[in-house]
């Protein structure tokens, strides 16, 4: 990749640099993303150099070709932010794991620099929405609302930003995705000599051949010279090199459909009766339940016989009175025979001893019935489906997103109280309330006939065990695995690729998946996403044609600039980015105006148009500033 080599200046004296404040892996991944992929000058504030992330960022800082600076501070107070250069920074990302720390730092940063672009990690969504409106209003009051100046506050959750990438990897395979107006696009590699497909929209790059199966792989490399990767090539180059080099194409994958009525609510009477017939009624005749109620029946029988011997009367009365005594519902037998009073006392003590056991057995049986009732295995003829293991916070959001597509899903979760259980019921998704590591559970999920496996539990070791077991059953299944440790994820991915070269395995941490969305937000709301391509990157941006002489009055063919930008879609422009009626790419905003993704090359762009562009960083700088950048140097 070629990138401008930044001169190191003292902290706080840089113009238009970016600042990251955090205490975990997201801060590190974001620094790497902005440095190596996006070419930004970055100051990272961490609480310590000694932890794993601090040591890795310190390693970036020691590289003389890297623009990353490391500042150690226990908390992001005013002095720390000033030292990091917040007063002249273009953007600030706050990625601490504590919402309160992020809120306090965001309010302080807005007062120190009303024009800084803020990207804030928040776990509490409602609080995040309030904070976003408050900080945007503060920028308006300060008078920093110039249309040419992107002063924005973007509140993101790393979980929400990782979900689209997880879903896309499981549903459509490898390739970074872009989501606009409910449509999903991805960058897909077409090997040398492979003809294009009707779903291909544009050629994004001609690859060097270093890592054709995954152009975004971290262990790919760019070959310098004539055969190096070419981003946004012209039509002639793309045509002639398609026979000898792979191409990265932008492909339209699918249209997300809106939420539908849950399948479970559409069942007919026959389906309901069938479901009732398959309920696990046998839990009420479990050994424990039979033992407790059998003991109760034996005690009642003995007391009934004793009562019949000491009292005259019908047989039902001999049974009825001991039951009242056991359940302490009868009147004291003060005026009756001594034998009757003794039996009443015995029955009362028996009731005290046996009733807790009866209640416990009944509650256990009811809980087992409820849990087993939620266990709804898939049908025997199900195939080509996605198996989702883990219905925690991330798994639930992945399930909700998959529920808006046409993919068939089987969910596996061992915790009957997991937050995604109710959603699985509403969607009518086959559900196994079992431990996925237990023998036979993956077979019940029909893993041998499935096309994809998503493993999203909280334990790295457990996730790896499930994937290895699934690979034994179905060596060709597409696997997407969530791992917390970045280095472990990279090692697992390489090993699984080497062991199963014909299958796709993706093992990524949430912070790694979320970093691209946070980086895009730091560059402004006009940036929709970032797509790594070997050692380079492409940015997808939305730009109003008005005021851009490189676009206005030119046809789409004339507006193309080789290796810098290409027009992908055209739609109607609006004045601003409103807070409502928006689409999202991991929280980034784009107005819901109709976009034509296959515009004629002869269409002339007018001032009232808005375009979606694929750009290099160099091209984006030129479009946004109108200043031609210096020729970039080459990073080995």
């Amino acid at each position: 990749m070629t990138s401008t080599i930044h001169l190191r200046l003292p902290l706080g004296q840089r113009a238009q640099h970016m600042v990251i404040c955090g205490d975990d892996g997201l801060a590190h991944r974001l620094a790497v993303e902005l440095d190596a992929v996006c070419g930004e000058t970055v100051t990272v504030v961490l609480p310590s150099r000694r932890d794993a992330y601090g040591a890795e960022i310190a390693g970036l800082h020691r590289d003389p070709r890297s623009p990353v600076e490391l500042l150690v501070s226990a908390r992001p107070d005013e002095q720390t932010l000033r030292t990091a250069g917040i007063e002249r920074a273009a953007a600030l990302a706050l990625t601490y794991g504590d919402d309160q720390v992020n809120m306090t730092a965001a309010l302080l940063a807005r007062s120190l620099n009303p024009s800084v672009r803020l990207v804030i990690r928040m776990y509490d969504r409602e609080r995040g929405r309030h904070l976003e409106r408050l900080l945007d209003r503060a920028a308006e009051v300060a008078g920093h609302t110039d249309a040419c100046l992107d002063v924005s506050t973007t509140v993101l959750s790393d979980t929400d930003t990782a979900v689209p990438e997880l879903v896309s990897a499981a549903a459509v395979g490898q390739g970074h995705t872009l989501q606009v107006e409910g449509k999903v696009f991805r960058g897909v590699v077409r090997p040398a000599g492979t003809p294009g497909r009707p779903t291909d929209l544009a050629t994004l790059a001609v690859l060097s051949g270093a890592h054709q199966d995954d152009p975004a792989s971290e262990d790919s490399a760019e070959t310098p010279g004539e055969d190096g990767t070419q981003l946004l090539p012209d039509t002639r180059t793309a045509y002639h090199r398609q026979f000898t080099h792979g191409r990265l194409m932008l492909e339209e994958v699918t249209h997300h459909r809106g939420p539908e009525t849950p399948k479970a609510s559409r069942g007919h009477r026959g389906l309901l009766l069938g479901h009732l017939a398959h309920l696990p009624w046998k839990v009420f005749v479990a050994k424990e339940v039979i033992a407790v109620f059998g003991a109760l029946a034996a005690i009642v029988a003995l007391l009934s016989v004793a009562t019949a011997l000491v009292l005259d009367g019908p047989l039902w009365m001999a049974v009825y009175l001991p039951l009242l005594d056991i359940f302490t519902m009868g009147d004291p037998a003060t005026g009756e025979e001594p034998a009757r009073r003794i039996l009443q006392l015995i029955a009362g003590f028996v009731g005290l001893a046996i009733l807790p056991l009866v209640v416990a057995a009944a509650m256990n049986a009811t809980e087992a019935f409820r849990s087993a009732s939620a266990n709804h295995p898939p049908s025997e003829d199900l195939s080509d489906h996605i198996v989702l293991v883990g219905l925690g916070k991330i798994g639930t959001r992945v399930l909700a997103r998959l529920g808006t597509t046409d993919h068939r899903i089987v969910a596996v979760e061992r915790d009957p109280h997991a937050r995604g259980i109710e959603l699985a019921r509403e969607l009518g998704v086959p559900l196994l309330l079992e431990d996925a590591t237990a023998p036979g559970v993956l077979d019940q999920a029909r893993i041998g006939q499935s096309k994809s496996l998503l493993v999203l539990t909280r334990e790295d070791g457990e996730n790896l065990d499930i994937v290895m077991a699934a690979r034994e059953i179905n060596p060709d299944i597409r696997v997407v695995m969530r791992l917390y440790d970045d280095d472990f994820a990279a090692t697992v991915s390489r090993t699984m690729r080497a062991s199963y070269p014909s299958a796709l395995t993706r093992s990524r941490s949430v912070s790694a998946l979320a970093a691209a969305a946070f980086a895009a937000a730091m560059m402004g709301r006009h940036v929709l996403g970032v797509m790594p391509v070997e050692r380079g990157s492409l940015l997808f941006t939305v730009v109003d044609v008005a005021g851009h002489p490189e676009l206005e009055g030119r046809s789409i063919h004339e507006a193309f600039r080789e290796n810098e930008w290409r027009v992908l879609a055209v739609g109607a422009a609006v004045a601003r980015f409103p807070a409502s009626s928006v689409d999202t790419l991991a929280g980034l905003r784009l107005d819901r105006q109709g976009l034509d993704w296959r515009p004629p090359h002869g269409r002339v762009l007018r001032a009232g148009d808005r375009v979606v562009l694929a750009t290099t960083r160099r091209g984006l700088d030129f479009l946004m500033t109108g200043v031609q950048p210096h020729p970039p140097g080459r990073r080995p």
Side-chain angles (χ1 to χ4, degrees), residues 241-548:
R241 297 187 66 183
Q242 67 176 320
F243 303 103
T244 56
H245 291 73
R247 294 159 295 151
L248 179 64
M249 309 296 295
L250 183 67
E251 179 187 44
E252 183 176 352
V253 177
T254 183
H255 294 228
H256 276 209
R257 53 184 169 85
E260 294 183 356
T261 304
K263 298 176 184 178
S265 65
R266 291 184 251 142
H268 298 291
R269 180 180 179 183
L271 294 176
L272 178 60
L273 293 177
H275 181 65
L276 291 174
H278 288 87
L279 287 176
W281 302 107
K282 63 181 181 180
V283 298
F284 291 110
V285 291
K287 293 181 180 180
E288 295 82 3
V289 177
I290 292 176
V292 170
F293 281 91
L296 177 63
I299 292 171
V300 171
L302 289 175
L303 291 174
S304 298
V305 171
T307 302
L309 293 176
V310 300
L311 293 179
D312 295 329
L315 182 60
W316 68 268
M317 183 66 70
V319 177
Y320 178 65
L321 290 177
L323 285 175
L324 291 180
D325 295 335
I326 289 174
F327 293 111
T328 64
M329 293 187 298
D331 294 329
T334 53
E336 301 187 27
E337 300 178 3
R340 165 66 184 139
R341 294 198 294 270
I342 293 172
L343 287 175
Q344 188 176 59
L345 290 175
I346 294 174
F349 281 113
V350 168
L352 290 176
I354 196 68
L355 286 182
L357 298 178
V358 172
V359 173
M363 292 182 63
N364 289 339
T366 303
E367 178 65 19
F369 179 80
R370 189 192 68 80
S371 300
S373 298
N375 205 23
H376 179 52
S379 60
E380 293 295 329
D381 60 347
L382 182 64
S383 62
D384 201 33
H385 57 286
I386 297 174
V387 177
L388 171 60
V389 180
L391 293 179
K393 181 170 63 174
I394 291 182
T396 300
R397 295 176 186 177
V398 167
L399 177 61
R401 200 174 190 94
L402 283 172
T404 65
T405 70
D406 294 323
H407 297 286
R408 290 172 292 184
I409 313 159
V410 174
V412 183
E413 171 57 59
R414 64 183 175 188
D415 182 6
H417 303 289
R419 65 176 67 191
I421 297 296
E422 189 62 33
L423 177 62
R425 291 174 181 169
E426 293 178 2
L427 296 175
V429 171
L431 174 64
L432 295 175
L433 278 175
E434 306 282 355
D435 186 349
T437 60
V441 174
L442 292 178
D443 289 326
Q444 292 182 50
R446 297 187 60 79
I447 197 70
Q449 290 72 38
S450 65
K451 66 178 181 180
S452 298
L453 170 65
L454 262 167
V455 188
L456 305 177
T457 76
R458 297 182 60 85
E459 299 294 334
D460 284 4
E462 182 177 319
N463 289 344
L464 184 56
D465 290 341
I466 295 170
V467 170
M468 290 190 295
R471 277 274 183 253
E472 293 294 327
I473 301 172
N474 186 351
D476 297 326
I477 190 173
R478 181 189 303 145
V479 170
V480 181
M481 181 177 13
R482 169 199 182 185
L483 298 175
Y484 283 85
D485 187 275
D486 284 343
D487 293 335
F488 183 51
T491 301
V492 168
S493 183
R494 286 193 295 267
T495 304
M496 296 296 286
R497 286 183 188 179
S499 303
Y500 299 92
S502 63
L504 175 66
T505 303
R506 285 290 177 271
S507 55
R508 302 293 296 278
S509 68
V510 171
S511 60
L513 293 173
F518 277 77
M522 290 185 74
M523 287 182 283
R525 288 179 175 172
H526 60 278
V527 178
L528 304 175
V530 180
M531 184 177 295
V533 185
E534 293 191 344
R535 295 297 185 185
S537 64
L538 289 173
L539 293 89
F540 295 88
T541 67
V542 55
V543 176
D544 286 334
V545 171
H548 290 281

Side-chain angles (χ1 to χ4, degrees), residues 59-101:
L60 288 175
H61 169 63
R62 287 192 295 269
D63 185 348
R65 296 163 297 183
S66 171
V68 173
E69 296 283 0
L70 176 60
L71 176 62
V72 177
S73 178
R75 62 182 186 277
D77 53 18
E78 180 175 351
Q79 180 180 354
T80 299
L81 292 176
R82 288 185 184 275
T83 304
I86 191 62
E87 293 164 307
R88 283 168 292 279
L92 167 66
L94 296 164
T95 67
Y96 292 96
D98 188 330
D99 281 3
Q100 186 67 37
V101 173

